[in-house]
Amino acid sequence: MKGLYCRLGQTDADTKFVIQEMSLPANVDSHQVRVKMKACGLSPLDLKLLVDLGIQRDLIPVGREVAGVVLQVGSLVSSFHPDDEVVGILPLDSPWSGLCDVIDVDEHLLVHKPEKLSWICVAGAIRDGVCAYTALHTHARMAAGHTLLVMDGASTFGLLCIQLASYHGVKVLATSHTPEQHTFLEKLQTSLARVIPVFEGSSDLLSDVLEETGGLGVDIVIDTGVRLQEDEGSNGNRLPHKHEVISVLGVGGHWVTSHQELQLDPPDCRLLHLKSASVTFLNQEVWTASTVQQGRYLHILKDIMEKMSSGILGPEPEEAVPLQDATVVMEMVQRCEKKSAIVQF
């Protein structure tokens, strides 16, 4: 049985993705489920995070958003049975690549896949769904009547944030990075209060937000990264500047950021203090890196599947790539030439 793994080098340029032969143990552990893979999502490896957590290996498994059919269950497994369709995210310390034909997974990391959803759909949306749920419910504590600004609303993560917030009665604004994205967002079935173009200097983010909110600012901002310096925008970088994000926040607002190395200067902190606003870091690995809130994590996974099945959450369909192209595609994902990819078996 073969899987895709990352072989680390002395530098990022030396890092290679290789096909490695693996073998399953003869027996399934008591709390594990043996799953036949049907689809797997590919997302960039955070190699620095692995070092921070003390996970050091010669070969790092690739492909952690998995969907498949249960072949066999351990003696103490109570949630699943053979032939069940399941979906989940493998933990950072898993020895298995999601591109292996068959893998063993702890039962507490999986939930049932609704029959009406395709393998590609669930494997491609599960990670961004968890991130959207974590950002809005866990960090921002959104409630009906709040106003939300989603940066890069046309991304899968942004789209799921828009849909989830709208379902809960939140007024949503979103930014678009290209004319095509702008048209796409304006035609969404989920009604947006405003789509703000931020490409080619087409709009002033702060002015548009204040106009839409009557000068009050928004209750929640969710970004996909920010610029720390003004001159970073000169090379076509469409990310908002950190001061822009703080400026659009209302009193008591929440800023949920994906920027791992955010640096706030004293004037930035002063402005946040004046608004009594907060900054929260969105770490997409937090649920699988610690089991302290395992029950809550499973509830999130189940709720995402239920909302996708009922049509409340509906990511844009993504074309899957064949298994033989996985190595080349993963190299593109790691270089950020693609945000993510889905492999179908």
Side-chain angles (χ1 to χ4, degrees), residues 1-5 20 22-25 27-29 31-41 61-74 86-91 94-107 109-110 345:
M1 180 179 68
K2 296 179 179 180
L4 182 61
Y5 290 78
Q20 185 74 15
M22 301 294 292
S23 59
L24 286 169
N27 299 315
V28 183
D29 286 350
H31 283 288
Q32 289 196 328
V33 177
R34 184 156 291 177
V35 182
K36 169 75 172 176
M37 290 294 96
K38 294 293 185 180
C40 174
V62 172
R64 294 176 42 228
E65 303 90 74
V66 297
V69 178
V70 174
L71 297 178
Q72 188 179 349
V73 299
V86 295
V87 59
I89 301 175
L90 299 180
S94 172
W96 304 110
S97 163
L99 295 176
C100 291
D101 188 49
V102 180
I103 63 173
D104 288 347
V105 190
D106 191 291
E107 69 166 323
L109 296 170
L110 299 171
F345 290 73

Side-chain angles (χ1 to χ4, degrees), residues 305-319:
M305 290 297 107
E306 290 173 2
K307 283 182 167 57
M308 288 179 64
S309 180
S310 61
I312 296 169
L313 298 180
E316 279 297 289
E318 188 172 344
E319 185 176 349

Side-chain angles (χ1 to χ4, degrees), residues 250-301:
V251 173
H254 301 280
W255 173 16
V256 182
T257 182
S258 298
H259 200 296
Q260 298 183 16
E261 300 176 350
L262 178 67
Q263 298 177 22
L264 296 179
D265 300 320
D268 301 322
C269 296
R270 178 62 179 169
L271 185 53
L272 284 168
H273 171 75
L274 290 172
K275 296 186 176 201
S276 191
S278 63
V279 181
T280 310
F281 291 89
L282 179 61
N283 177 4
Q284 60 183 356
E285 304 293 355
V286 69
W287 298 107
T288 56
S290 171
T291 58
V292 69
Q293 297 191 60
Q294 192 70 29
R296 190 174 185 183
Y297 173 58
L298 285 177
H299 170 76
I300 292 173
L301 291 181

Side-chain angles (χ1 to χ4, degrees), residues 80-149:
F80 303 102
H81 301 90
D83 297 326
D84 283 351
E85 298 182 349
V86 295
V87 59
I89 301 175
L90 299 180
L92 287 165
D93 59 355
S94 172
W96 304 110
S97 163
L99 295 176
C100 291
D101 188 49
V102 180
I103 63 173
D104 288 347
V105 190
D106 191 291
E107 69 166 323
H108 302 299
L109 296 170
L110 299 171
V111 294
H112 288 91
K113 179 188 82 70
E115 289 185 9
K116 65 186 295 183
L117 297 178
S118 70
W119 299 111
I120 297 174
C121 178
V122 294
I126 186 69
R127 175 178 292 274
D128 285 315
V130 170
C131 288
Y133 207 108
T134 304
L136 291 170
H137 285 293
T138 307
H139 293 327
R141 307 286 184 182
M142 71 169 176
H146 279 169
T147 304
L148 164 69
L149 173 61

Side-chain angles (χ1 to χ4, degrees), residues 203-335:
S203 180
D204 182 347
L205 179 63
L206 177 59
S207 297
D208 284 3
V209 170
L210 293 180
E211 179 183 336
E212 188 63 40
T213 60
L216 298 177
V218 296
D219 299 294
I220 306 166
V221 176
I222 296 178
D223 70 43
T224 54
V226 295
R227 289 183 288 118
L228 301 182
Q229 305 295 332
E230 289 288 356
D231 56 7
E232 290 179 23
S234 60
N235 59 0
N237 190 341
R238 299 186 182 97
L239 294 175
H241 188 266
K242 59 181 179 178
H243 188 72
E244 283 184 296
V245 177
I246 298 172
S247 298
V248 300
L249 280 173
V251 173
H254 301 280
W255 173 16
V256 182
T257 182
S258 298
H259 200 296
Q260 298 183 16
E261 300 176 350
L262 178 67
Q263 298 177 22
L264 296 179
D265 300 320
D268 301 322
C269 296
R270 178 62 179 169
L271 185 53
L272 284 168
H273 171 75
L274 290 172
K275 296 186 176 201
S276 191
S278 63
V279 181
T280 310
F281 291 89
L282 179 61
N283 177 4
Q284 60 183 356
E285 304 293 355
V286 69
W287 298 107
T288 56
S290 171
T291 58
V292 69
Q293 297 191 60
Q294 192 70 29
R296 190 174 185 183
Y297 173 58
L298 285 177
H299 170 76
I300 292 173
L301 291 181
K302 291 176 182 177
D303 198 52
I304 291 169
M305 290 297 107
E306 290 173 2
K307 283 182 167 57
M308 288 179 64
S309 180
S310 61
I312 296 169
L313 298 180
E316 279 297 289
E318 188 172 344
E319 185 176 349
V321 299
L323 187 58
Q324 60 266 28
D325 295 340
T327 303
V328 175
V329 172
M330 185 60 206
E331 290 173 350
M332 296 173 63
V333 170
Q334 192 66 20
R335 293 194 300 264

Side-chain angles (χ1 to χ4, degrees), residues 121-198:
C121 178
V122 294
I126 186 69
R127 175 178 292 274
D128 285 315
V130 170
C131 288
Y133 207 108
T134 304
L136 291 170
H137 285 293
T138 307
H139 293 327
R141 307 286 184 182
M142 71 169 176
H146 279 169
T147 304
L148 164 69
L149 173 61
V150 179
M151 302 294 187
D152 193 10
S155 65
T156 302
F157 169 62
L159 183 58
L160 292 175
C161 284
I162 291 169
Q163 293 169 340
L164 185 60
S166 297
Y167 173 74
H168 286 282
V170 174
K171 179 181 179 180
V172 184
L173 294 73
T175 64
S176 58
H177 288 179
T178 65
E180 293 76 19
Q181 288 184 4
H182 192 82
T183 302
F184 167 74
L185 290 171
E186 287 189 324
K187 291 182 178 180
L188 277 181
Q189 291 183 351
T190 303
S191 58
L192 284 166
R194 190 162 189 159
V195 180
I196 304 172
V198 293

